[in-house]
Amino acid sequence: MEQLLSVAATRIATMYHNNPVFMFLFDKFGKLLHANQQAMHHYGGPSDCNGCSRTITLESLFRRGVYPGGEAEMHRAHDEAVDAIFGRKVKAHHHMQAYISRKTGKTKWGELEMWPVHDRVTDSDAMLVTVFNMTQRKALEAQLQDQQVTLQQQNQELEKLNEIIQVEKLRLEQQNTTLAQNLAAVVQEKLTPDAPFNLNTPIDEALLVLRSLMMGEQPPVQRLLQLHNMLAGCTTELRQPINLEQQLIQTTGADSEVAASMVQLLQASSARGRIMSASDVTDGHQRVVQRASGLTGSVAQHDHLPSAITPVVERMLQDAEHNWHFDIFSFAEATEGHTLSTMTFYLMKRGGAMTKFGIHEGSLCSYLQALEAGYNPLPYHNSIHVASVVQLTHMLMTHGGIMKAKVVDDLTLLASIMAATVHDYGHSGVNNDFLNRHSHLFSTLCCANTAVCDLYMVMNCTAVANMKSLQTVHYKLHVGVRQCAPAWCDEAAHVAVSAAPDPSP
């Protein structure tokens, strides 16, 4: 039995002395009573007969630490531990301390864990102390603390960002409310009968919207609102513009006289868009002047009668005033051979040429019809081509930025329109080279490098102007030929124009 106890004691002693945890036993005065071999080896110092170091005391364990408060803080920690174990007899007391490693010189952390025990050898109270290496734990705690600080900073930044987002959200909500109110106001305005000037019929507008949908496009809200207004305002006739008479009178973009004339034309036409009969145009010149220009008085009778002015022609003329892609061929079919005179008269009237330069409208109509009659029915250089040039000249001058930039005046605008009107007058369908090679009469009258066709145009236009009834209007328009004809034929143009007598007193 004693042999078995001796074996067990030996094994316990082996486990105790090789335990990596440092273990000490102190009396109530802090004197070392016993320590395991690992503790003795680490702390060192001479041993007495009982194997205890005479230099290791409870106070030396505390003095090993580094305290921010110095010696005083070390003594307070030591006294607190003694009072806890021997005075208040707590079950356990812990003390964390930093110390400097003797090997590496780095700061490490250790924990002193103390328990009250009874020493059977001295039959007195004692303190069992173990020292744990807490460096890794402290490193982890420091790392976690740093991460916590970082998270707190990020949290503060997120809170600030959240405040900014809330402010921006409030601003966007206010902006959204304002936009919604504006949209409601716009919708309310667009749904009223006072829509912008529009000559499209409900059928035309519906077809445009359907075409956009078939092409995979999203029609603008403005177009959908416009179609809504049209369909809501029409009765049974879907191929007539809605409230055209009211639009013509109320719109600020149309001349009052022109608007009144077109209203008269609409009232004179039947609801089915009837084209005027032959009896309606017995005094055709008077009807053209009154309806295209808004005149209320009578004018002289003329033999050259233009085509009937129908609502279709009216819409085309208004479109020609603003459209860069005007369909001149459809207009030619609608005007029945009077394409050039109708187009030129309308654009000159809308440009205010009659008022600004004192041109008599009846004489201008006759002059334009006489010019139009001088164009040959050629495949290209015909009156339809010239009407297209007149319309594009108007677009270039009025919508191309020339008049807006004020680089030219109204006289130049009139000259440009007239030059476009007469630029192919009497054209034979062949070029200058052909006339020169065949020794044409006019080629023999011109000097070298002279454009025969252009000179021929100037002389023929002058011949038309020499008609007694047209001398006055030509005298006021001949500046167009002189200003816009090429410089090399200026002298010829001067001679030709001078052949017309001056009608001024």
Side-chain angles (χ1 to χ4, degrees):
M1 187 68 173
E2 293 179 357
Q3 186 178 2
L4 292 174
L5 291 175
S6 177
V7 172
T10 301
R11 290 175 175 172
I12 291 173
T14 301
M15 294 172 61
Y16 166 73
H17 287 293
N18 290 279
N19 192 338
V21 178
F22 306 145
M23 303 181 67
F24 304 90
L25 184 65
F26 296 97
D27 61 11
K28 61 181 179 180
F29 300 105
K31 180 182 177 180
L32 180 64
L33 300 177
H34 191 75
N36 64 350
Q37 291 182 357
Q38 290 293 332
M40 294 296 296
H41 175 74
H42 181 76
Y43 286 89
S47 303
D48 57 12
C49 59
N50 295 322
C52 297
S53 174
R54 293 190 296 269
T55 60
I56 300 177
T57 61
L58 179 61
E59 183 178 345
S60 67
L61 294 183
F62 281 88
R63 192 177 295 278
R64 178 170 174 261
V66 178
Y67 298 92
E71 192 81 8
E73 184 177 351
M74 182 274 295
H75 284 294
R76 284 196 301 271
H78 172 268
D79 295 342
E80 181 182 358
V82 173
D83 179 68
I85 298 299
F86 297 105
R88 295 183 284 115
K89 297 186 181 298
V90 298
K91 292 183 178 180
H93 180 74
H94 301 271
H95 173 70
M96 187 72 68
Q97 65 176 190
Y99 62 94
I100 303 301
S101 174
R102 290 178 295 179
K103 292 182 179 180
T104 62
K106 296 181 179 180
T107 300
K108 292 188 176 183
W109 290 86
E111 182 183 34
L112 303 180
E113 189 172 5
M114 294 158 276
W115 297 275
V117 295
H118 183 73
D119 182 19
R120 294 183 179 181
V121 176
T122 61
D123 192 22
S124 60
D125 294 334
M127 176 190 297
L128 179 62
V129 180
T130 58
V131 181
F132 297 95
N133 187 355
M134 305 297 292
T135 302
Q136 293 183 350
R137 176 181 172 181
K138 273 294 184 179
L140 291 176
E141 288 179 354
Q143 184 178 358
L144 291 176
Q145 186 175 4
D146 293 340
Q147 292 179 353
Q148 185 178 5
V149 172
T150 302
L151 290 176
Q152 289 177 352
Q153 294 176 350
Q154 292 178 351
N155 185 52
Q156 293 176 355
E157 293 177 356
L158 290 176
E159 289 178 354
K160 293 180 180 179
L161 181 60
N162 183 58
E163 293 177 357
I164 297 175
I165 292 176
Q166 293 300 324
V167 173
E168 184 68 14
K169 179 182 178 182
L170 180 60
R171 187 188 67 81
L172 292 176
E173 288 177 351
Q174 294 175 350
Q175 183 179 5
N176 182 58
T177 302
T178 303
L179 291 176
Q181 294 174 352
N182 293 340
L183 178 60
V186 171
V187 172
Q188 180 66 24
E189 178 183 358
K190 298 306 178 182
L191 289 177
T192 57
D194 297 329
F197 191 81
N198 182 20
L199 289 178
N200 283 345
T201 66
I203 288 295
D204 295 334
E205 195 66 27
L207 291 176
L208 289 175
V209 172
L210 290 176
R211 187 177 296 111
S212 299
L213 293 174
M214 288 187 294
M215 295 298 293
E217 301 174 356
Q218 179 63 35
V221 177
Q222 177 67 25
R223 174 171 289 184
L224 297 177
L225 290 173
Q226 191 175 30
L227 178 59
H228 175 275
N229 295 339
M230 283 187 167
L231 295 177
C234 69
T235 55
T236 57
E237 183 54 72
L238 298 179
R239 293 191 178 275
Q240 290 292 336
I242 301 301
N243 298 327
L244 181 56
E245 294 88 346
Q246 183 179 358
Q247 292 187 75
L248 287 172
I249 295 175
Q250 293 182 351
T251 181
T252 58
D255 182 82
S256 58
E257 294 183 356
V258 175
S261 315
M262 293 184 175
V263 170
Q264 293 176 6
L265 284 168
L266 290 175
Q267 293 173 348
S269 302
S270 65
R272 297 182 298 275
R274 177 179 59 86
I275 298 179
M276 301 169 70
S277 63
S279 61
D280 294 329
V281 293
T282 54
D283 56 343
H285 173 70
Q286 181 177 0
R287 291 176 180 270
V288 171
V289 174
Q290 290 179 345
R291 292 179 179 179
S293 63
L295 293 178
T296 57
S298 60
V299 294
Q301 299 288 335
H302 294 276
D303 296 332
H304 302 283
L305 299 179
S307 60
I309 304 300
T310 65
V312 175
V313 175
E314 295 169 16
R315 291 198 298 270
M316 288 183 175
L317 285 172
Q318 293 174 353
D319 183 45
E321 193 176 358
H322 305 282
N323 190 355
W324 287 94
H325 304 283
F326 180 69
D327 187 356
I328 192 65
F329 296 106
S330 297
F331 181 70
E333 293 179 1
T335 50
E336 301 178 355
H338 296 280
T339 306
L340 176 58
S341 58
T342 304
M343 175 68 73
T344 306
F345 182 86
Y346 176 82
L347 293 178
M348 291 181 67
K349 173 61 182 177
R350 292 289 288 128
M354 287 72 161
T355 303
K356 296 175 182 177
F357 301 102
I359 300 174
H360 190 272
E361 296 182 357
S363 299
L364 177 61
C365 275
S366 299
Y367 178 70
L368 293 176
Q369 293 164 25
L371 282 177
E372 189 169 33
Y375 280 93
N376 298 317
L378 301 173
Y380 180 75
H381 296 91
N382 50 47
S383 59
I384 298 176
H385 154 70
V386 176
S388 177
V389 174
V390 170
Q391 191 266 340
L392 286 175
T393 300
H394 160 79
M395 292 297 298
L396 180 65
M397 298 293 290
T398 59
H399 297 284
I402 297 178
M403 294 298 294
K404 186 177 181 180
K406 298 181 179 180
V407 295
V408 298
D409 54 9
D410 293 330
L411 181 60
T412 306
L413 174 62
L414 173 64
S416 301
I417 296 296
M418 282 308 304
T421 305
V422 304
H423 83 277
D424 274 341
Y425 180 84
H427 202 292
S428 60
V430 296
N431 57 17
N432 297 324
D433 184 65
F434 181 87
L435 294 176
N436 289 327
R437 289 177 180 274
H438 289 75
S439 299
H440 191 275
L441 173 62
F442 285 102
S443 68
T444 62
L445 299 177
C446 300
C447 59
N449 300 324
T450 299
V452 180
C453 293
D454 290 338
L455 180 59
Y456 177 63
M457 172 269 296
V458 172
M459 298 181 68
N460 270 339
C461 290
T462 304
V464 172
N466 282 333
M467 297 170 58
K468 184 176 181 180
S469 61
L470 305 180
Q471 288 176 3
T472 301
V473 66
H474 176 76
Y475 178 78
K476 294 181 178 180
L477 296 178
H478 81 284
V479 67
V481 178
R482 286 186 52 79
Q483 284 193 1
C484 296
W488 47 259
C489 66
D490 181 71
E491 184 63 27
H494 173 70
V495 173
V497 172
S498 299
D502 188 352
S504 60

